[in-house]
Each structure stands twice: as C-alpha cells, then as structure tokens.
Amino acid sequence: MTPTTTALPPSTTAEMAAATAAPSTPPREAKAPKTPNDREGFRQAMSWLHTWAGLILGWLLFAIFLTGTLSFFKNEFNLWMRPEMHGLPAADAQVAQKSLDALARKAPDVTQWILHLPDDRDPAVNMLWRGTGNGRFETLRMNPQTGEAIEARQTMGGDFFYRFHFELRTAQKGRWTIEGRWVVGVATMLMFVALISGVITHRRIFKDFFTFRPTKGGQRAWLDAHNVTGVLVLPFYLMITFSGLMIFHTLYMPAGIATTYKNEKGVDSNAYFADLQGEKAESRPRRGASDKVEPLPAIALQPILNEASARWDGGRIGRVQARRDAKGRAVVEVTRHEGDRLQYRPPRLLFDATTGQWLDQADATGPAAKTYGVLVGLHVAHFADIGLRWALFGFGLLGSLMIATGMVLWSVKRSAKSHTQASRKGAATHTTHATPAKAPFGERLVAAINIATLAGLPLACGVYIASNRLIPPGIEGRADVELAWFFSAWGLALLWALASAVVRESRMGWSVPLGAAGLVWGLIPVINALTTHTHLGITLPAGEWAWASMDLAFLVTGLLLGWLSWRLRPGRAPRGKTAAAKAPRTAPAAALPATPDVSVSTSGA
C-alpha cells in the first residue's frame, strides 16, 4: 500500500529539514537590544569623553606636566645655571645682619625688603627689595659670609620651567600671565575630566595595573602602555590635578568670595586673603600704585631672629622681611622654613622693627585654610627631602608618558582604521596599489604635532640649558635670549614635524628630533666643562652632589633620548612572529613612533 503524500509549503519543508539535521540544537533566542541608559552605554559615553578631553589640549598638557616635573628641582636648576655661585662658604650666625648692612650701603632708602636665608638647596643669600611703595622688586644674591653681592649671569634658571608650568611664561617679565593661567586652568580641568572618565571606562583597572604586553605590538602595546602609566600612580595624578586647580581658585571661582566677603563698600578681598593666610585684615596695607612709603629705619635683626628661633624650639628660619603695616609702623616678619611642615604658608612671627618687641603670630589654623594649605603643600612639595623629590619626579615622568602614549595611541588607532578602510576599498575594486594611500590630512596633522610636542619639547629644554653656557654672560637681556633659544628650537622641531608628516611623509619624523635632543643633552656636561669650573672633574672628587648630580642627570637623559632615536631609526627590521604577521598591515610612512616592543614598530621603519 502506497502512503499518501501531502504537499507542504516550501518554508515548512525547510524548517523540518533543519529540525531533522540538528534535532539537539535548541533555537536561539533573540537578544534584546541594549538601551541607551545601560552600563555599557555609559561606559561608551565616558570613553568618548576621555578621548576628546585628552586630545583637545593633550599637547599643552604634556608641556605643562613635563615642565612641572622639572620644577621639582627648580632650586637645583637655579644653582647650576649660575656657576658664579659655586664654592660659596657656609653661612654663619650673623648672615642676616651682614646682608642687611650690605643692602643699606647699596640702597639706603629701601621701603621693603625680603631676605631668603641660605639652606641646603641654595647656598646664597637672596634679597628682594624695592625703593617705592609698589614698584617692582629688585633682586640681589649675596655671599653668605660677607653679605656682598654676587655678580651672577642673568638667567631665569629653573624658574622658567616653574613659570611656564602654570602661566605659560614666554619672557622674564611676562605680560600675559593672567591669560596664561586661564589657559592652564582650562587644560587642567580637561585633564581632571579625562582622569575621572578614564577610571570609569576601565572595567579591569586593577588588572591593568599588572598588564603590559609589548610583544602584541600595534594598538594593544600602546593601549597597555597607556593603561599601565595611567593606573600605576593614579592617586598622584588626581592629587596633582585637583590641587593645581585649587591653587588659583580665586581666579577661576571668585563668586564664593564675592558672596561671603561682601560689605557696604563692595567685595573685601583683602579680608579673604587675610583669613586664608592666618593674618588680621586690619594689619594688611592697602596702597595704590602712586602712594609713597617712608623708608625703613635701621633694624637690629639678630635679637629678633634669636627670639623667633626660641619660640619655635630651634625651628629653622626660612625668610625675613621688613615693611610698613597699614598704620605705617615698621614691622619685621619672620617666616619659618617651608621644609618644616607639609602645610603651605608656614607660621610667621611679627616684631616691631624699632624696639624688637614681639607683636603677633600669623598662621592659618581654620579648617578650610588648613585644608587649602595642605593641598598647595602637596602640589609644590617644598616639604620633600631629596629622596621624596626624586620619587615625585618619577611620578611626574610617568604622567608625561601617560599623556604621550595617549596621544600616540589616538594616531595609531586612526591610522590602522584608515589603512583597513583603504584595504577594503582596494579589495572591492580588485585593485592593488604599489604604494600605500596617503593618510587623511587630519591624521597627518595630529602626527606632526605629536612629533613637535613629544620629541620637540625635550629638544627645546636641552637647548635652553645648553644656551646658559653658550651665550656670553654680560650681554643685555640675557635671560630673554635664553628663552629665545628655547622657543626657536621648539619652532624648528615643529617645522620639521610638519615637513615629515604633513608635506611629505617620512620615516625620519621621530628619529631626527629625538636624536638631536639626545645629542644636546649629552653634550651639556661637555660644554659645561669647556666653559666653567663646575664640571664633573671638580665636583665629583669634591663630593659636591648638588652640582655633580645635574651633569650626571643630563648625561642619562641624553643616553635615553639617543636610545629612543636609535630604536626609531629608518630601516630597523622588526623581529619576531608578531612583527612578521603584522608587517603588511602597518601604516605606511606615518609619523608614528615604534611600539614599546623591541620586535614591533608602527613607524614603518
């Protein structure tokens, strides 16, 4: 008996066949689409914010962070760049009085002076004085034994790195300091946003602490390098960024002061700053630019300093100044050394300049003022000894590397994406290109600025330090000439970067400025030996580490930059299986540096 066959629709037949072929495979359920408000969507938004907050002013942030890192050794730069201060004798107990007597002989009608006593980081006496009520301070550096002036060369020294760090100073007497502080404030705020959004973006932030895979090459290696440098000392980044914003809170957020310190005459900002510094508002002088001030009388300093030291149980004295208060009375203010406590703005004792009688103590003791002082103290690190300063210096270098790897990572990712799109387009049209396609203009421009900033700034810093020994000591406006060398070298690095990345892509883009920077830094000790008597042949046998360590640090910096230049040289053959596998997909001649792996390069070299 023949069975009756019933015709089934094609779709039903297909379904039966599929069920017969795979009877044990359950049907897959369709995944519900993710809503915009879920956790992944939030991370995506934070990733976008992290990328663009870091990219918009990333190059400026690198310059701010690197010069701020160098500022941890500002005093050492100041000393090394004034070789005339080498070999100064140790200060004796009468150093303050001798310096004041020498100032009286040089400028008898002084209305205010500030005396910085010698310490382990600066062996000279530094005297600031002015002869009119609100004119600019003049500076004298004095021998701690005789009190006589030291004729040192004009230079900003390490103060340039310090000033550029927070106000983008371009001249010894800059005119656009407030505008520079605003720009730095905006960049710092963007970095703070990038840090917070970066923490949210990372799912495995603790795992990233231990993950670095340089053998992966390409984006993976750069991302790991960015993650490791970002996570390793993350608390330091958060502290240094937030405290940097707080230092100039009066500039960025004046509304709170205007609300709290408002009186019938308007905003009493003088009272706010008095509270912040632990002073009495009525004792702070308020003078106009044209107001005349009576010269200070002769002052016997030693009894005042003895009593101040006794009140602080032998604590160090860092600074002494004399001025007239709001009532016109001559007063002497003795400030404790900044290295004696973490909180910035050390305690100060006020004495009558004529009688030597103790009048008052000024110290910020309120909770808000102390919190602010601790934040500022953490940022400037005046309390740190030599070991802690080196640790903070290392943290700052890691921060600079974090910013640098982030900028390079952006270029690497965009270059890989563009190359992939070009490859797909070529495959779709069944064409082959003998030469790789040119990267978009935006990518080439970003690559050029990366070279100019990340390689050009170390070159400019080395040229600035070398110029201190090459420019004749006695020329007019010498400090500004040194700065002209700095910005000229940086400008040349920018021109080279534009030529090698935008105009005509070259594999020499990174190696040339890094090689030049390594050569300059390595030659600084040699130039120093040929032009001064403070070279390693003298300072090392004498155990003068404040001088010798600077030359040694310059040599190490030159070797490191030279090694980076050699690593990025054209024609360096990548090694290993990973390099061989990824070589065909590498961006053409884009100005991208090599990956952290010794076996892989994304520079095309």
Side-chain angles (χ1 to χ4, degrees):
M1 182 176 179
T2 305
T4 304
T5 304
T6 304
L8 298 176
S11 59
T12 305
T13 306
E15 290 173 2
M16 292 178 63
T20 304
S24 61
T25 304
R28 292 185 179 180
E29 296 182 1
K31 291 184 178 180
K34 293 182 179 180
T35 60
N37 296 323
D38 66 2
R39 185 176 298 177
E40 290 302 319
F42 180 66
R43 280 204 181 100
Q44 291 279 350
M46 289 297 101
S47 177
W48 178 91
L49 181 61
H50 177 77
T51 299
W52 291 103
L55 180 67
I56 291 173
L57 291 177
W59 301 290
L60 178 61
L61 279 171
F62 177 80
I64 293 170
F65 224 90
L66 182 61
T67 52
T69 300
L70 295 175
S71 297
F72 283 125
F73 290 98
K74 178 188 70 172
N75 287 9
E76 285 72 19
F77 276 108
N78 285 339
L79 184 63
W80 188 90
M81 296 179 76
R82 295 183 177 92
E84 296 82 5
M85 293 170 58
H86 178 259
L88 290 178
D92 59 15
Q94 301 295 322
V95 57
Q97 191 64 55
K98 289 179 180 179
S99 301
L100 183 57
D101 294 341
L103 175 65
R105 293 192 296 270
K106 179 179 179 63
D109 295 330
V110 174
T111 60
Q112 183 180 0
W113 52 260
I114 303 173
L115 176 66
H116 294 268
L117 295 176
D119 59 12
D120 55 344
R121 299 182 67 188
D122 191 346
V125 177
N126 291 278
M127 176 78 77
L128 286 78
W129 61 275
R130 58 185 177 184
T132 58
N134 293 287
R136 281 186 178 270
F137 278 100
E138 301 291 335
T139 303
L140 277 176
R141 289 177 177 81
M142 300 180 173
N143 188 300
Q145 280 284 357
T146 65
E148 296 302 322
I150 303 171
E151 298 297 331
R153 64 190 63 194
Q154 289 187 359
T155 178
M156 284 194 70
D159 288 320
F160 167 65
F161 298 129
Y162 172 68
R163 290 286 175 178
F164 187 89
H165 162 66
F166 70 88
E167 63 187 19
L168 305 180
R169 179 72 68 91
T170 58
Q172 187 176 24
K173 297 179 180 180
R175 297 178 55 190
W176 311 104
T177 56
I178 299 300
E179 291 80 1
R181 293 178 184 183
W182 268 106
V183 173
V184 171
V186 172
T188 306
M189 189 66 205
L190 284 176
M191 181 170 182
F192 195 63
V193 170
L195 287 172
I196 299 299
S197 57
V199 171
I200 297 172
T201 300
H202 284 88
R203 302 180 189 178
R204 304 180 301 273
I205 189 168
F206 293 105
K207 185 177 180 181
D208 287 340
F209 186 90
F210 303 100
T211 304
F212 182 45
R213 295 160 287 185
T215 56
K216 292 287 185 180
Q219 297 181 36
R220 183 73 264 170
W222 283 110
L223 181 59
D224 282 352
H226 184 62
N227 289 340
V228 168
T229 54
V231 174
L232 196 60
V233 287
L234 179 61
F236 171 79
Y237 303 147
L238 294 172
M239 178 275 294
I240 209 74
T241 306
F242 180 71
S243 59
L245 286 171
M246 285 301 299
I247 289 176
F248 294 110
H249 68 283
T250 56
L251 178 65
Y252 308 139
M253 299 180 294
I257 302 172
T259 301
T260 307
Y261 288 84
K262 189 175 183 180
N263 56 26
E264 62 279 0
K265 297 181 179 179
V267 179
D268 190 3
S269 59
N270 195 67
Y272 171 76
F273 286 108
D275 289 345
L276 192 65
Q277 299 175 15
E279 300 175 355
K280 295 179 180 178
E282 59 270 16
S283 66
R284 292 172 62 91
R286 306 187 185 190
R287 301 189 181 98
S290 59
D291 292 347
K292 299 296 181 182
V293 183
E294 290 295 321
L296 292 170
I299 301 174
L301 273 183
Q302 201 56 45
I304 294 176
L305 298 183
N306 292 340
E307 183 173 351
S309 182
R311 285 179 177 271
W312 287 328
D313 297 325
R316 292 182 296 171
I317 296 174
R319 185 179 68 200
V320 185
Q321 73 164 309
R323 54 181 169 80
R324 292 193 178 272
D325 62 10
K327 299 178 181 179
R329 176 179 53 182
V331 296
V332 174
E333 181 180 282
V334 183
T335 303
R336 192 162 182 172
H337 195 279
E338 292 179 335
D340 284 356
R341 75 174 184 182
L342 169 62
Q343 181 183 338
Y344 182 71
R345 189 69 64 178
R348 285 139 287 149
L349 296 174
L350 293 176
F351 296 87
D352 188 292
T354 304
T355 64
Q357 181 182 1
W358 176 76
L359 300 175
D360 197 5
Q361 173 168 310
D363 192 13
T365 56
K370 289 183 71 174
T371 302
Y372 173 77
V374 169
L375 284 173
V376 178
L378 286 170
H379 191 93
V380 299
H382 289 167
F383 65 93
D385 59 12
I386 183 64
L388 184 54
R389 278 201 307 277
W390 274 111
L392 294 172
F393 180 82
F395 294 164
L397 287 183
L398 283 176
S400 303
L401 288 174
M402 175 190 66
I403 298 170
T405 52
M407 303 305 297
V408 173
L409 178 62
W410 190 94
S411 288
V412 170
K413 291 175 67 175
R414 294 306 183 278
S415 178
K417 184 177 179 181
S418 298
H419 184 69
T420 302
Q421 291 175 349
S423 299
R424 289 175 179 174
K425 185 177 179 181
T429 57
H430 304 284
T431 59
T432 57
H433 298 278
T435 57
K438 199 172 187 178
F441 175 78
E443 292 180 15
R444 288 181 283 126
L445 182 61
V446 170
I449 302 177
N450 277 347
I451 297 173
T453 305
L454 308 183
L457 182 57
L459 171 62
C461 291
V463 169
Y464 168 69
I465 297 171
S467 71
N468 179 262
R469 296 297 194 259
L470 296 175
I471 299 173
I475 69 171
E476 187 71 20
R478 189 180 183 282
D480 287 330
V481 175
E482 289 183 355
L483 300 187
W485 281 47
F486 172 87
F487 288 107
S488 297
W490 205 356
L492 289 175
L494 176 60
L495 292 177
W496 166 260
L498 292 173
S500 61
V502 176
V503 179
R504 183 178 180 181
E505 292 176 301
S506 170
R507 301 174 189 272
M508 300 280 290
W510 285 90
S511 61
V512 169
L514 285 173
L519 181 64
V520 170
W521 282 91
L523 285 177
I524 289 175
V526 178
I527 298 172
N528 182 40
L530 295 175
T531 55
T532 71
H533 62 283
T534 60
H535 52 81
L536 290 172
I538 292 178
T539 57
L540 271 180
E544 297 173 330
W545 292 106
W547 295 87
S549 60
M550 297 298 291
D551 280 330
L552 294 174
F554 297 154
L555 280 174
V556 171
T557 303
L559 291 174
L560 178 61
L561 291 171
W563 174 79
L564 287 174
S565 175
W566 179 81
R567 279 287 315 279
L568 303 180
R569 72 193 186 279
R572 185 178 66 89
R575 297 176 301 178
K577 296 180 180 179
T578 306
K582 292 185 178 289
R585 301 179 59 185
T586 305
L592 301 176
T595 64
D597 177 28
V598 295
S599 64
V600 145
S601 171
T602 58
S603 64

